Amino acid sequence: MFTVLTCVTQQHNLALVGLAGLICFLASHCAMVLLHRATSSEGAARWVWIATAGAAGGFGIWATHFVAMLAYDPGVVVGYRAGLTLVSLLVAIVATSAAVAAKMAYTRWVANILAGVLFGAGIGSMHFAGMLAIELPGDMSWDSRFVAASVVLGIAFSIAAFRLSVRRDRSVVSRFAPTLVLTLGVVALHFTAMAGVTVTPDAAALDPSTLLSPEVMAVTIAAVTFSLLAAGFAAAMFAVHSEVKTAKAERNFKLLIEGVTDYAIYMLDPDGKVSNWNAGAERIKGYTADEIVGKDFSLFYSDEDRSKGSPQRALEIARTDGKFEAQGWRYRKDGSSFWAHVVIDAIHDEAGELIGYAKITKDNSKQKADADRIEEVSRNLDAALENMGQGICMFGGDERLLLCNQRYLEIFRFPEGSVRPGMQYRQIVEIGYSARAEDPAEASMQAEAHYARNMALIRAGAGSAVHKYPSGTSIQQKVNILQNGGWVVTFEDITDRVKSEEQVAFLATHDALTGLPNRLQFGERVSEELMVAERVRGKVAVIGIDLDKFKEVNDQHGHGVGDMVLVELTRRLGEARQEGELIARFGGDEFSATKRFDDLSALHDFIARLEGALAGVISVDGFEIKTGASLGVAIYPGDAESVDGLLANADLAMYRAKQSLLQKVCFYEAAMDETARRRRALANDLWACIDRDELHLHYQVQKSVRTGEITGYEVLLRWRHHELGNIPPMDFIGLAEECGAILPIGEWVLREACREAASWNNSYKIAVNLSPIQLGHADMATVIAGILSETGLNPRRLEIEITESSIIVDKDKALRTMRQIKALGVSIAIDDFGTGYSSLETLRAFPFDKIKLDKSFMAEVESSPQSKAIVRAILALGRSLEVPVLAEGVETQAQLDTLFEEQCDEAQGYLLGRPQAMREAGVEKAA
């Protein structure tokens, strides 16, 4: 004993001895913790824990040995051979793994003795293998008594440690006792063996290239040991945490299942025997758990169903398809029946083997009785409806069809099965038009006009109306409005009656030569449009039309030729006219037209179509007759509120147009006339602005809210007109979309922005807005691909910004185009989010890479709690969808601070940088 103490105190560095003891304690505790994890595991998991315990514990014990060896000073320079050093490590790991495995494989005293012997002997083997790895200038000899004593001590302490590891007491002493004993065993083995070592120096020199230096071993052993032990402890902690959560979840699930009383929930074994039973099953079926567990579930079926094999077939379906679901009669303990909804799910273990079935049954007897009563009433109602001579249908307040009879479907010749309850009225109208139209676009336009007109009449409370269809059919509809906002409507085919009445009325209300409405019919139609416009707050335009130099045609070629010219012009006007527009002839070369509209662009489109139809060349009897016309426009309610007033003012405007050398269209109101003339001039200039080199780009910086770093730039278009100077984008972008110039302008913007960005010495992204017209262009993806190839810009540096209004016109086409663009590597952002439609369905269906929060919210975020709540909600939505959000319009530090608090990703605005032209040297300064 005294020799051992002398060896420790005189021949060892006590600091390193302490470190070795700490490593030994941690390694021993890690081995015991992992042993406990292996004990509580089964199957492959147990072997994983055994291997982990062997690796972590064995490596730690081995590290203890070599740190202690580094502390040992034999009086000469020593080194270590790599081969035997690694062999000693392997021995330690194998011995620890074998000891843990033996502890798991056997029981009681056999396991403790076998594990202790394997561990103690293995650690002794590791120690002496490590000693053999030592190279020193001299000889090393051992005292066999100390060698034997060290091995005996190691085995004895190991047996005791494994014996203590099985105690269930959770006190601190019991928890760490095995670790302390095992540590004492390892330490006693090491220092007892070292006390028996004698080193005899000689003059031989060591070859350093064949040895491992003590310093390298110290650093390597310390780093790897603590990493491995930390990994072992972490794995054990995670496993314990996972088991606790699993046990809690299983306990909660059991309480939930047993507490449910409205559903019968129970398990079946693979043969269909009931294996457990909840309170709901006892209440619904009358059996207690003791009465039913172990019996076949087929006793819930009728004799007839059992003879047909229905129970076995249900299990077979659940086994093959994973689930069986059905409704049918089931029987209780007292023999009474109930209508049950049954779900059977097949349950498999981790290996995929069937271990049973989960069965849920609900008593739906009351629901079935109610459904049966409703079905009987419905049959009676259907019989009455199907025998009516009129078509009838009922719509709810949400415009969804509730019911209709067969006569309704026959009157409108709907394809079989195309109309079903629950469909929207708009959808039904579209089906009716598309079934009889060759051009889908035309059918859609007609359906939309019909829907808008008819809904206006219905919501206005109009009780009766007659609809005439292109096929010549006339249908009279009578509407009764319901209290809930819905309506009941009947339809009657009055085609024959209307034709005879119209024949008489036509001669009184139409021009005999052209068949166009005359002044009387025109006045009535304008009067009707004024009534509708008053209700819906719309506008009505009356256009006076006078043919240019038509008197010369009659004078030079005769009235017969003049009549042929009028007929041809009438045909062209008819082709140009769209639904809801009316063109009339008042006599001679005087025509009039009217249109109800909401957007001024729709009126300009109508006027352009009229001009196109009236201007041109007509060949009659070998003569080439050039035609044209002067148009005057008066608009309700600004110019007049009566039919006569509108006609008079339209004539005044038309005469002013005839007097003008340059204008063919004049508006009655001077301001509108000037605006229209300016827009026409601007539209013409827009087509030439690229050739005149009047367009240029500005860039506004985009930054990270969290770091303040630049993330990219938004590209903004500027127009410097050669006469008017700078024109704001709001004054020409919409006009460019109306006249079609947006396509070449938009392509120029893309090309110029990509060209400039490609010349920058950085990788910042550029964001380019895409108009709805561009997105609807069939070759937009091809155009972008060509520009990227031409300019050499990395596609990942280009971001396309679109608004939701660009998508809703044709979602399928927009989705295809967007997918083609994303396939190029270009990202897509939804612009102005939070205004307009901003539907969640759009975010789900379309592949957006960024959400741009509309600047209107930033303007009010400091003063409006509602705006701040909306900003917070949109940012939360972006995080849940994993889509970054950029806030526009940041102009104050308080706004930026709010975005930082709400975890917004990016921002742009005057606070961060104003839009400006970008040059190679100014890319960084733009912020």
Side-chain angles (χ1 to χ4, degrees), residues 558-694:
H559 288 280
V561 173
D563 289 344
M564 296 174 68
V565 170
L566 291 174
V567 171
E568 176 59 18
L569 290 177
T570 298
R571 185 190 66 79
R572 295 182 180 181
L573 288 171
E575 293 178 349
R577 184 182 66 84
Q578 297 178 358
E579 187 175 355
E581 301 167 350
L582 179 69
I583 302 172
R585 182 188 178 214
F586 289 176
D589 61 348
E590 185 180 0
F591 292 77
S592 281
T594 185
K595 177 180 179 65
R596 178 165 51 86
F597 65 98
D598 296 314
D599 187 1
L600 195 59
S601 62
L603 174 59
H604 285 298
D605 175 67
F606 182 38
I607 294 172
R609 285 186 276 113
L610 292 176
E611 286 186 278
L614 294 169
V617 177
I618 298 177
S619 298
V620 180
D621 292 342
F623 301 106
E624 297 288 336
I625 300 175
K626 186 175 182 181
T627 62
S630 299
L631 285 70
V633 184
I635 299 177
Y636 165 89
D639 296 339
E641 295 184 355
S642 66
V643 176
D644 292 338
L646 289 171
L647 287 171
N649 290 340
D651 283 342
L652 290 175
M654 181 266 293
Y655 288 129
R656 186 172 56 180
K658 289 186 73 69
Q659 295 169 2
S660 174
L661 296 176
L662 300 176
Q663 288 183 259
K664 292 299 182 181
V665 179
C666 283
F667 287 79
Y668 173 72
E669 185 178 351
M672 186 179 293
D673 188 9
E674 180 63 27
T675 300
R677 186 161 52 250
R678 182 173 177 273
R679 285 176 64 84
R680 288 171 180 270
L682 280 179
N684 290 332
D685 291 339
L686 276 171
W687 287 101
C689 65
I690 297 178
D691 294 334
R692 292 174 178 169
D693 197 25
E694 295 178 351

Side-chain angles (χ1 to χ4, degrees), residues 612-924:
L614 294 169
V617 177
I618 298 177
S619 298
V620 180
D621 292 342
F623 301 106
E624 297 288 336
I625 300 175
K626 186 175 182 181
T627 62
S630 299
L631 285 70
V633 184
I635 299 177
Y636 165 89
D639 296 339
E641 295 184 355
S642 66
V643 176
D644 292 338
L646 289 171
L647 287 171
N649 290 340
D651 283 342
L652 290 175
M654 181 266 293
Y655 288 129
R656 186 172 56 180
K658 289 186 73 69
Q659 295 169 2
S660 174
L661 296 176
L662 300 176
Q663 288 183 259
K664 292 299 182 181
V665 179
C666 283
F667 287 79
Y668 173 72
E669 185 178 351
M672 186 179 293
D673 188 9
E674 180 63 27
T675 300
R677 186 161 52 250
R678 182 173 177 273
R679 285 176 64 84
R680 288 171 180 270
L682 280 179
N684 290 332
D685 291 339
L686 276 171
W687 287 101
C689 65
I690 297 178
D691 294 334
R692 292 174 178 169
D693 197 25
E694 295 178 351
L695 298 179
H696 60 283
L697 301 180
H698 277 186
Y699 297 82
Q700 186 169 31
V701 70
Q702 299 173 337
K703 293 185 177 181
S704 168
V705 173
R706 184 175 61 86
T707 65
E709 296 177 351
I710 298 175
T711 58
Y713 295 88
E714 181 177 8
V715 180
L716 303 172
L717 179 62
R718 298 293 184 261
W719 181 18
R720 188 180 296 107
H721 193 274
H722 61 284
E723 293 180 353
L724 304 177
N726 290 325
I727 299 177
M730 67 178 64
D731 291 345
F732 71 84
I733 294 297
L735 181 61
E737 292 178 340
E738 291 178 11
C739 70
I742 193 65
L743 290 176
I745 291 176
E747 185 174 342
W748 180 89
V749 171
L750 272 169
R751 179 175 286 104
E752 187 67 11
C754 292
R755 184 190 63 78
E756 289 189 5
S759 67
W760 300 345
N761 294 323
N762 56 56
S763 59
Y764 294 144
K765 297 182 72 170
I766 55 170
V768 181
N769 288 277
L770 213 63
S771 79
I773 306 299
Q774 291 175 278
L775 187 62
H777 194 271
D779 296 324
M780 197 62 232
T782 304
V783 171
I784 294 176
I787 290 175
L788 291 172
S789 175
E790 174 187 336
T791 60
L793 182 70
N794 187 333
R796 299 191 180 280
R797 292 184 60 196
L798 177 60
E799 182 173 87
I800 297 299
E801 295 185 3
I802 64 172
T803 60
E804 190 169 9
S805 59
S806 304
I807 302 171
I808 61 172
V809 176
D810 188 343
K811 286 191 174 183
D812 292 338
K813 184 176 181 181
L815 180 58
R816 286 195 301 271
T817 302
M818 291 169 64
R819 284 174 174 166
Q820 292 170 357
I821 294 174
K822 282 183 68 68
L824 300 174
V826 177
S827 58
I828 300 178
I830 181 168
D831 199 10
D832 298 337
F833 189 80
T835 62
Y837 297 90
S838 301
S839 67
L840 297 181
E841 173 62 19
T842 301
L843 291 179
R844 184 194 67 80
F846 290 85
F848 293 110
D849 301 294
K850 184 184 293 182
I851 297 173
K852 295 196 70 176
L853 180 63
D854 187 73
K855 61 183 179 182
S856 61
F857 295 105
M858 283 293 98
E860 299 178 0
V861 74
E862 298 176 64
S863 59
S864 171
Q866 292 83 359
S867 294
K868 189 171 184 179
I870 292 174
V871 170
R872 183 180 294 116
I874 293 176
L875 293 175
L877 175 64
R879 288 192 296 272
S880 65
L881 296 176
E882 298 183 354
V883 177
V885 178
L886 184 149
E888 297 179 288
V890 179
E891 298 183 0
T892 67
Q893 185 62 41
Q895 294 172 352
L896 186 61
D897 293 341
T898 299
L899 294 176
F900 183 87
E901 293 173 1
E902 299 300 334
Q903 302 178 31
C904 182
D905 300 284
E906 299 176 61
Q908 72 178 80
Y910 284 179
L911 177 66
L912 305 177
R914 292 178 175 271
Q916 65 181 57
M918 193 75 75
R919 298 292 182 267
E920 290 185 14
V923 176
E924 299 291 343

Side-chain angles (χ1 to χ4, degrees), residues 37-38 40-52 104 350:
R37 298 309 316 147
S40 60
S41 302
E42 295 180 354
R46 170 172 290 185
W47 288 106
V48 172
W49 286 117
I50 290 173
T52 305
M104 302 298 302
E350 296 178 355

